[in-house]
Amino acid sequence: MPFTYPAARRDETKVDDYHGTKICDPYAWLEDPDSAETMAFVEEQNKLTMPYLEQCSVHAQFHQRLTELYDYPKYSCPYKRGKRYFYFHNKGLQNQDVLYVQDSLDAPATVFFDPNKLSEDGTVALKMGRLSEECEYFAYGLSTSGSDWVTVHFMKADDLSLLPDVLERVKFSCLAWTHDAKGVFYNCYPPQQGKSDGTETTSNINQKLYYHVIGTQQSEDILVAEFLEHPKWHSAVTISDDGSYAVLSITEGCEPVNRLWYCDLQQLPDGITGLLPWVKLVDNFDAQYSYVTNEGTVFTFRSNLDAPRYRLINIDISKPDREHWTTVIPQHDKDVLGFVSCVNQCHLLVNYVHDVKDILQVYELSTGKHLRDLPLDVGTVAGVSCKKKYSEFFYKFTSFTTPGIIYHCDLSASKPEPKIFREVEVKGIRQEDYQTSQVFYPSKDGTEIPMFLVHAKGLQKNGTHPVFLYGYGGFENSIQPYYNVAYLLFVRHLGGILAVANIRGGGEYGLTWHKAGTLGNKQNCFDDFQYAAEYLIQEKYTAANRIAINGASNGGLLVAACLNQRPDLFGCVVAEVGVMDMLKFHKFTIGHAWTTDYGCSEDAEQFKWLIKYSPLHNLPQPPYTGPPYPAVLLLTADHDDRVVPLHTLKYCATLQYGVGSSPAQVQPLMVRVDTRSGHGAGKPTAKAILEETDVFSFIAQTLGLGWKE
């Protein structure tokens, strides 16, 4: 029985002209999140969706089992500040992770900061936290309901007493203490009209860099950098390991390139009193330079300058001309140089990504010589903690079936060997029940694309298994193996296969791979993803009507574009917080920063790329007579100020109007709009469990999957 969808008003008079092409935008009224009409639309949609999700046959079992299995202890790597160690820990089902402190690694730990005390429902999250160099103070940024807006507070680290200092209007900010602990560098935005609580869509421009002195009002903060000619620039300060320099990285958009300025803090006779005398070491957007460490005036940077897979370079700021720059670790033939950290004064902790799997090594800082490999199973380094002045470091390993093993190593020992510091087991999940493999499949243009598969041991390839196919493909983000209890439940109790396709647009093989899936090449991402599904069918893992595809944010755009292009190739589509209106995304909040990946409709040539795949603009109009669409679940949230809800709402209205009115469309086309929730970061555990339950229950219901004990 086809569903009856809420009627949404169409304003056919709302027409925009793009370089002579007229485009109707009948649901533009949904761009106002506060109008009574938009609120009514959301309410009507939720009235249809929520009861449907709750009556899905596996909903209760999935929720119960997920809650049970999620209830395992989670730990971060400890990090050392002053003489003490700090780490995050969640006993299992706490909504937010708690920060603990201990005097030594075997001393008892006590609670240092507990975000759960800040709200009843866990919707106040710790977004950023920085301890001063010798552990005098803790600066911490809180966000509410998942918004990107942050309020920064301060407390004394010894007696945990709160300071009166408060910093508002902070967003996409650095937080860097000067080593004298007198204050912090941070970024904020000038006041804007209307509200700033994460439900607004106002564009974020003219970010400024300030220095806040402890014990003063924010109104007295010192403006140290602003870019009046360049409203879209963002900046971030890193204080050098020796405390002598402020290193300023300036970006515009999301491309991995930055300007590099610095200021010698020792050369300020009166301290920080106004705009700093920045020295412009690199004053263009040709490459990326990330500070690793410095020995006096010789600075070490990770860079993609003439190195799409990244290399390590030295720049002596007393001889800044490029002909004096030297290579410490050259670019690898195939692997991508990931993060690099300095430890034990003279060593570098170096990460490489080899076919989407992590390698961790120790190098010598002075020569760039490889000293040793560190033990690592097949998977991901999910965390590292070290500091140049300390000899010890920690690293955390994870994979699709390993929640977390933390290793500890002290390089001052005569024969330093990493030892397991902490290993977490999840009761009820046996690693040996699962098999993880990596396959390579050809895309449309012949490019070999890697894909991870996780399924039950001894799986028979008979073309009937349900598949959960996940992808992202953008912003140089690599999707490496990570632990997710809901995925393992899908495999174990719904008989499924998890497939993660490492499509182009990501950073899996460096800059070239990334650029092959951006701007005019964006269709490569969609081809790569569709060919992943084709491969799984061809290799007899599954059939088209058994494939559920999922992605979030840029991945929401991915699965919606693939749905429009190949509705026959999938059985279910779950698009979370997706970018759906490719002609207008740059007008809202921080959308302007994504034009480096997507292009912008204000440019005539780029408009031609965007209109070809924009999910909102490639949905059929009624009467629709093509093949029925798979089941669709769209997810968004009222406080998502990264990808604002209007993308999902307009796409939903258009989908239901065209496809939803076809008598042949029996599968549901629904949207789930969460409240007091944002783009994803800082989401309380209880909300995360419910959302995963809703998603997998919808998939099970629409693909016809039963619960297997």
Side-chain angles (χ1 to χ4, degrees):
M1 158 71 196
F3 294 83
T4 307
Y5 297 103
R9 175 175 66 88
R10 286 177 63 81
D11 178 0
E12 307 280 354
T13 64
K14 181 76 181 76
V15 175
D16 298 306
D17 186 324
Y18 294 91
H19 318 282
T21 304
K22 300 223 171 357
I23 306 278
C24 185
D25 192 5
Y27 301 113
W29 55 268
L30 281 166
E31 290 168 14
D32 178 2
D34 301 317
S35 77
E37 199 175 11
T38 300
M39 287 175 175
F41 175 84
V42 168
E43 194 178 341
E44 288 299 309
Q45 293 290 344
N46 274 341
K47 270 188 197 158
L48 177 70
T49 307
M50 291 314 186
Y52 180 84
L53 294 174
E54 280 155 23
Q55 62 78 42
C56 286
S57 57
V58 305
H59 196 277
Q61 281 164 302
F62 201 97
H63 190 265
Q64 183 190 345
R65 195 77 185 111
L66 184 56
T67 306
E68 287 165 8
L69 291 178
Y70 210 91
D71 193 2
Y72 66 91
K74 301 157 187 77
Y75 293 92
S76 74
C77 288
Y79 58 98
K80 193 174 178 180
R81 273 290 181 283
K83 297 203 164 48
R84 299 195 285 169
Y85 293 87
F86 294 82
Y87 64 90
F88 285 98
H89 170 50
N90 190 314
K91 287 175 179 153
L93 294 172
Q94 289 174 284
N95 273 320
Q96 301 289 342
D97 297 351
V98 179
L99 184 57
Y100 287 81
V101 62
Q102 51 190 159
D103 291 332
S104 68
L105 290 176
D106 26 13
T110 55
V111 171
F112 182 75
F113 185 80
D114 183 358
N116 296 294
K117 298 208 163 119
L118 303 173
S119 66
E120 286 292 311
D121 59 359
T123 52
V124 175
L126 178 64
K127 191 92 164 195
M128 54 202 306
R130 300 283 185 280
L131 285 150
S132 58
E133 185 67 12
E134 295 305 329
C135 209
E136 302 92 342
Y137 299 108
F138 180 54
Y140 58 97
L142 303 177
S143 87
T144 303
S145 301
S147 166
D148 278 327
W149 286 112
V150 168
T151 304
V152 179
H153 303 266
F154 297 83
M155 69 184 213
K156 279 181 150 171
D158 52 5
D159 63 3
L160 311 190
S161 59
L162 203 58
L163 300 178
D165 310 43
V166 178
L167 310 177
E168 304 272 9
R169 301 203 50 73
V170 176
K171 197 184 214 187
F172 311 127
S173 176
C174 63
L175 200 51
W177 287 95
T178 44
H179 282 201
D180 58 13
K182 282 186 180 159
V184 288
F185 290 99
Y186 74 99
N187 305 87
C188 74
Y189 284 91
Q192 66 192 35
Q193 289 215 303
K195 55 187 182 168
S196 305
D197 62 0
T199 61
E200 80 288 352
T201 62
T202 323
S203 192
N204 303 135
I205 50 172
N206 295 308
Q207 192 198 57
K208 298 179 191 299
L209 180 70
Y210 286 91
Y211 183 68
H212 171 76
V213 177
I214 293 297
T216 63
Q217 302 278 330
Q218 184 175 14
S219 56
E220 300 166 48
D221 286 355
I222 301 148
L223 178 68
V224 291
E226 63 177 345
F227 316 102
L228 299 173
E229 325 268 284
H230 305 282
K232 295 176 183 173
W233 282 13
H234 283 109
S235 66
V237 161
T238 305
I239 299 296
S240 61
D241 287 335
D242 57 12
S244 299
Y245 299 91
V247 182
L248 183 66
S249 168
I250 298 167
T251 53
E252 181 175 44
C254 297
E255 265 306 270
V257 295
N258 62 286
R259 289 170 191 250
L260 188 69
W261 300 358
Y262 72 88
C263 174
D264 184 344
L265 299 173
Q266 311 299 312
Q267 301 300 315
L268 304 172
D270 306 320
I272 299 167
T273 55
L275 290 171
L276 290 176
W278 298 104
V279 179
K280 298 176 181 180
L281 189 61
V282 178
D283 205 25
N284 56 52
F285 287 126
D286 294 347
Q288 185 178 66
Y289 306 86
S290 307
Y291 173 84
V292 176
T293 189
N294 65 300
E295 296 279 303
T297 59
V298 179
F299 280 70
T300 305
F301 297 99
R302 172 183 177 266
S303 180
N304 55 23
L305 177 69
D306 304 325
R309 288 178 302 284
Y310 293 82
R311 59 180 173 138
L312 212 59
I313 62 172
N314 274 351
I315 302 177
D316 186 339
I317 58 173
S318 66
K319 295 186 291 193
D321 292 341
R322 192 178 285 194
E323 69 252 28
H324 302 303
W325 297 7
T326 57
T327 300
V328 187
I329 303 177
Q331 169 176 261
H332 192 277
D333 293 342
K334 179 182 176 189
D335 300 347
V336 181
L337 177 65
F339 61 82
V340 182
S341 305
C342 188
V343 63
N344 193 32
Q345 301 293 353
C346 57
H347 291 113
L348 294 170
L349 217 49
V350 175
N351 156 247
Y352 276 100
V353 183
H354 170 78
D355 283 333
V356 208
K357 303 172 291 282
D358 275 331
I359 295 167
L360 199 55
Q361 301 170 321
V362 180
Y363 284 70
E364 192 170 58
L365 170 62
S366 56
T367 61
K369 186 175 149 211
H370 171 255
L371 298 177
R372 63 166 300 172
D373 289 7
L374 295 168
L376 212 55
D377 207 348
V378 176
T380 308
V381 176
V384 161
S385 99
C386 64
K387 217 162 157 50
K388 183 173 189 170
K389 63 181 177 183
Y390 300 131
S391 61
E392 60 190 333
F393 63 89
F394 298 85
Y395 61 97
K396 178 177 174 176
F397 169 81
T398 184
S399 72
F400 288 118
T401 55
T402 313
I405 304 172
I406 296 173
Y407 294 88
H408 174 234
C409 183
D410 192 336
L411 291 171
S412 66
S414 56
K415 286 190 176 162
E417 276 307 319
K419 293 186 177 54
I420 291 182
F421 176 73
R422 226 178 227 132
E423 186 166 12
V424 168
E425 279 182 36
V426 179
K427 289 187 182 69
I429 291 185
R430 298 198 334 211
Q431 259 188 278
E432 55 271 22
D433 293 345
Y434 300 90
Q435 186 178 330
T436 302
S437 57
Q438 188 179 36
V439 297
F440 292 82
Y441 66 90
S443 186
K444 185 177 182 178
D445 62 3
T447 304
E448 290 284 308
I449 310 293
M451 174 163 62
F452 289 108
L453 300 177
V454 182
H455 52 72
K457 275 232 166 99
L459 179 99
Q460 301 295 310
K461 288 193 190 179
N462 55 17
T464 65
H465 304 287
V467 165
F468 182 87
L469 173 61
Y470 176 86
Y472 184 78
F475 299 92
E476 215 193 3
N477 269 355
S478 301
I479 308 298
Q480 293 182 259
Y482 58 101
Y483 190 76
N484 181 328
V485 178
Y487 288 175
L488 298 180
L489 285 189
F490 172 72
V491 173
R492 175 87 178 71
H493 293 294
L494 298 174
I497 298 172
L498 167 68
V500 177
N502 295 107
I503 62 177
R504 284 172 286 183
E508 282 85 350
Y509 293 101
L511 216 47
T512 314
W513 191 257
H514 164 60
K515 288 189 167 167
T518 63
L519 303 175
N521 300 322
K522 189 69 184 164
Q523 182 60 37
N524 283 339
C525 305
F526 312 138
D527 291 342
D528 291 356
F529 200 62
Q530 291 162 32
Y531 273 69
E534 300 272 19
Y535 169 87
L536 292 166
I537 295 166
Q538 184 190 318
E539 291 296 315
K540 303 264 187 296
Y541 285 101
T542 189
N545 63 356
R546 306 288 277 171
I547 298 176
I549 57 172
N550 171 246
S553 199
N554 171 74
L557 155 64
L558 167 74
V559 296
C562 289
L563 163 68
N564 292 350
Q565 291 176 9
R566 290 292 308 274
D568 58 309
L569 189 55
F570 315 108
C572 179
V573 176
V574 179
E576 304 176 37
V577 294
V579 187
M580 305 302 197
D581 185 342
M582 298 310 293
L583 303 186
K584 289 172 95 171
F585 72 86
H586 60 283
K587 295 175 184 283
F588 309 108
T589 62
I590 195 59
H592 59 77
W594 317 329
T595 56
T596 49
D597 246 62
Y598 300 143
C600 179
S601 62
E602 289 169 19
D603 174 297
E605 193 204 349
Q606 297 177 2
F607 164 74
K608 285 182 194 151
W609 308 335
L610 293 164
I611 193 65
K612 280 195 186 115
Y613 70 81
S614 175
L616 177 64
H617 301 96
N618 286 278
L619 281 167
Q621 295 290 315
Y624 174 62
T625 54
Y629 266 46
V632 178
L633 179 63
L634 308 168
L635 290 89
T636 187
D638 63 349
H639 284 73
D640 188 344
D641 47 5
R642 187 80 57 84
V643 180
V644 287
L646 64 89
H647 285 279
T648 293
L649 301 182
K650 285 166 68 173
Y651 183 79
C652 173
T654 311
L655 177 68
Q656 291 175 349
Y657 172 68
V659 179
S661 60
S662 158
Q665 181 62 33
V666 291
Q667 288 280 44
L669 310 169
M670 292 182 171
V671 66
R672 175 192 191 271
V673 186
D674 199 7
T675 53
R676 299 199 64 185
S677 202
H679 196 58
K683 186 167 288 179
T685 299
K687 271 185 177 292
I689 288 174
L690 188 57
E691 187 171 299
E692 295 273 31
T693 300
D694 285 350
V695 164
F696 282 97
S697 302
F698 182 86
I699 291 169
Q701 192 70 19
T702 55
L703 296 187
L705 312 180
W707 184 265
K708 302 177 170 65
E709 277 311 331

Coordinates of all heavy atoms in Angstrom, one line a residue, residues 250-252 255-260 281-289 303-308 310-311 322 325 511 515:
I250 N 46.8 30.0 7.7 CA 45.6 30.6 7.2 C 45.0 29.8 6.0 O 45.8 29.4 5.1 CB 45.9 32.0 6.7 CG1 46.4 32.9 7.8 CG2 44.7 32.7 6.0 CD1 47.1 34.2 7.4
T251 N 43.7 29.5 6.1 CA 43.1 28.7 5.0 C 41.9 29.5 4.5 O 41.4 30.4 5.1 CB 42.6 27.3 5.6 OG1 41.8 27.6 6.7 CG2 43.7 26.4 6.0
E252 N 41.5 29.1 3.2 CA 40.3 29.6 2.7 C 39.6 28.4 2.0 O 40.1 27.9 1.1 CB 40.6 30.7 1.6 CG 39.3 31.3 1.0 CD 39.6 32.4 0.0 OE1 40.5 32.3 -0.8 OE2 38.9 33.4 0.1
E255 N 40.4 23.1 0.8 CA 41.6 22.5 0.1 C 42.7 22.4 1.1 O 42.9 23.3 2.0 CB 42.0 23.4 -1.0 CG 41.4 23.0 -2.4 CD 41.6 21.5 -2.8 OE1 42.6 21.2 -3.4 OE2 40.8 20.7 -2.4
P256 N 43.6 21.3 1.0 CA 44.7 21.2 1.9 C 45.9 22.1 1.5 O 46.9 21.7 1.0 CB 45.1 19.7 1.7 CG 44.6 19.3 0.4 CD 43.4 20.2 0.1
V257 N 45.6 23.4 1.6 CA 46.7 24.4 1.3 C 46.5 25.5 2.4 O 45.4 25.8 2.9 CB 46.5 25.1 -0.1 CG1 46.7 24.0 -1.2 CG2 45.1 25.7 -0.3
N258 N 47.6 26.2 2.7 CA 47.6 27.3 3.7 C 48.7 28.3 3.5 O 49.8 27.9 3.0 CB 47.5 26.7 5.1 CG 48.8 26.0 5.5 OD1 49.0 24.9 5.1 ND2 49.6 26.6 6.3
R259 N 48.4 29.5 3.9 CA 49.5 30.5 4.1 C 50.1 30.2 5.5 O 49.5 29.6 6.4 CB 48.9 31.9 4.1 CG 48.5 32.3 2.8 CD 47.7 33.6 2.7 NE 47.1 33.7 1.4 CZ 47.5 34.6 0.4 NH1 48.4 35.5 0.7 NH2 46.9 34.5 -0.8
L260 N 51.4 30.6 5.6 CA 52.1 30.3 6.8 C 52.8 31.5 7.3 O 53.8 32.0 6.7 CB 53.1 29.2 6.5 CG 53.9 28.6 7.7 CD1 52.9 27.8 8.6 CD2 55.0 27.7 7.3
L281 N 56.0 33.9 6.0 CA 57.0 32.9 5.5 C 56.5 32.4 4.1 O 57.2 32.3 3.2 CB 57.1 31.8 6.5 CG 58.2 30.8 6.2 CD1 59.6 31.5 6.2 CD2 58.2 29.7 7.3
V282 N 55.2 32.0 4.0 CA 54.6 31.6 2.8 C 53.3 32.4 2.7 O 52.4 32.3 3.5 CB 54.2 30.1 2.8 CG1 53.6 29.7 1.5 CG2 55.5 29.2 3.0
D283 N 53.2 33.2 1.6 CA 52.0 34.1 1.5 C 51.2 33.8 0.2 O 50.9 34.6 -0.6 CB 52.5 35.5 1.5 CG 51.3 36.4 2.0 OD1 50.4 35.9 2.8 OD2 51.3 37.6 1.7
N284 N 51.0 32.4 0.0 CA 50.1 32.0 -1.1 C 49.4 30.7 -0.7 O 49.7 30.2 0.4 CB 51.0 31.8 -2.4 CG 52.1 30.8 -2.1 OD1 51.8 29.7 -1.6 ND2 53.3 31.1 -2.4
F285 N 48.5 30.3 -1.6 CA 47.8 29.1 -1.3 C 48.2 28.0 -2.2 O 47.4 27.3 -2.8 CB 46.2 29.3 -1.4 CG 45.7 30.1 -0.3 CD1 44.9 31.3 -0.5 CD2 45.8 29.7 1.1 CE1 44.4 32.0 0.5 CE2 45.3 30.5 2.1 CZ 44.5 31.6 1.8
D286 N 49.5 27.8 -2.4 CA 50.0 26.8 -3.3 C 50.1 25.4 -2.7 O 50.1 24.4 -3.4 CB 51.4 27.2 -3.9 CG 51.3 28.4 -4.7 OD1 50.2 28.8 -5.1 OD2 52.3 29.0 -5.0
A287 N 50.3 25.3 -1.4 CA 50.6 24.0 -0.8 C 50.2 24.1 0.7 O 49.9 25.1 1.2 CB 52.0 23.6 -0.9
Q288 N 50.2 22.9 1.4 CA 49.9 22.9 2.8 C 51.2 22.7 3.6 O 52.1 22.0 3.2 CB 49.0 21.7 3.1 CG 48.5 21.6 4.6 CD 47.6 20.5 4.8 OE1 48.0 19.3 4.7 NE2 46.3 20.8 5.1
Y289 N 51.3 23.4 4.7 CA 52.4 23.3 5.6 C 51.9 23.1 7.0 O 51.2 24.0 7.6 CB 53.3 24.6 5.6 CG 53.7 25.0 4.2 CD1 52.9 25.7 3.4 CD2 55.0 24.5 3.7 CE1 53.3 26.1 2.1 CE2 55.4 24.9 2.4 CZ 54.5 25.6 1.6 OH 54.9 26.0 0.3
S303 N 54.3 18.6 4.5 CA 53.9 19.4 3.4 C 53.6 18.6 2.1 O 54.1 17.5 1.9 CB 55.0 20.4 3.0 OG 54.5 21.3 1.9
N304 N 52.6 19.1 1.3 CA 52.3 18.5 0.0 C 52.9 19.3 -1.1 O 52.5 19.2 -2.3 CB 50.8 18.3 -0.2 CG 50.0 19.6 0.0 OD1 50.5 20.7 -0.1 ND2 48.7 19.4 0.3
L305 N 53.9 20.2 -0.8 CA 54.5 21.0 -1.9 C 55.3 20.0 -2.8 O 56.2 19.3 -2.3 CB 55.5 22.0 -1.2 CG 56.3 22.8 -2.2 CD1 55.4 23.8 -2.9 CD2 57.5 23.6 -1.5
D306 N 54.9 20.0 -4.1 CA 55.5 19.1 -5.0 C 55.5 17.7 -4.5 O 56.3 16.9 -4.9 CB 57.0 19.5 -5.4 CG 57.1 20.9 -5.9 OD1 56.1 21.4 -6.5 OD2 58.1 21.6 -5.5
A307 N 54.5 17.3 -3.7 CA 54.4 16.0 -3.1 C 53.0 15.6 -2.8 O 52.6 15.8 -1.6 CB 55.3 15.9 -1.8
P308 N 52.2 15.1 -3.8 CA 50.8 14.8 -3.5 C 50.6 13.8 -2.4 O 49.5 13.7 -1.8 CB 50.3 14.3 -4.8 CG 51.5 14.0 -5.7 CD 52.6 14.9 -5.2
Y310 N 52.6 13.7 0.3 CA 53.2 14.4 1.4 C 54.7 14.0 1.7 O 55.1 12.9 1.5 CB 52.3 14.3 2.7 CG 51.0 15.0 2.5 CD1 49.9 14.4 1.8 CD2 50.8 16.3 3.0 CE1 48.7 15.1 1.6 CE2 49.6 17.0 2.8 CZ 48.6 16.4 2.1 OH 47.4 17.0 1.9
R311 N 55.4 15.0 2.3 CA 56.8 14.8 2.7 C 57.1 15.6 3.9 O 56.2 16.5 4.3 CB 57.7 15.1 1.6 CG 57.6 16.5 1.0 CD 58.6 16.8 -0.1 NE 58.4 18.1 -0.7 CZ 59.4 18.9 -1.1 NH1 60.7 18.6 -0.9 NH2 59.1 20.1 -1.6
R322 N 63.2 29.9 -0.7 CA 62.8 28.5 -1.0 C 64.1 27.7 -1.4 O 64.1 26.5 -1.1 CB 61.8 28.4 -2.1 CG 61.2 27.0 -2.2 CD 60.1 26.9 -3.2 NE 58.9 27.4 -2.8 CZ 57.7 27.2 -3.4 NH1 57.6 26.4 -4.4 NH2 56.6 27.8 -3.0
W325 N 65.3 25.6 1.5 CA 64.5 24.5 2.1 C 65.0 23.1 1.8 O 65.5 22.9 0.7 CB 63.0 24.6 1.6 CG 62.3 25.9 1.9 CD1 62.9 27.0 2.4 CD2 61.0 26.2 1.6 NE1 61.9 28.0 2.5 CE2 60.7 27.5 2.0 CE3 59.9 25.5 1.0 CZ2 59.5 28.2 1.9 CZ3 58.7 26.1 0.9 CH2 58.5 27.4 1.3
L511 N 46.8 13.5 -2.6 CA 46.1 14.7 -3.2 C 45.6 14.3 -4.6 O 44.5 14.8 -5.0 CB 47.2 15.8 -3.3 CG 46.7 17.2 -3.2 CD1 45.8 17.3 -2.0 CD2 47.9 18.2 -3.1
K515 N 41.8 15.0 -5.7 CA 41.4 15.9 -6.7 C 40.6 15.1 -7.9 O 39.8 15.7 -8.6 CB 42.6 16.6 -7.3 CG 43.1 17.6 -6.3 CD 44.2 18.5 -6.9 CE 44.5 19.7 -6.0 NZ 45.7 20.4 -6.3

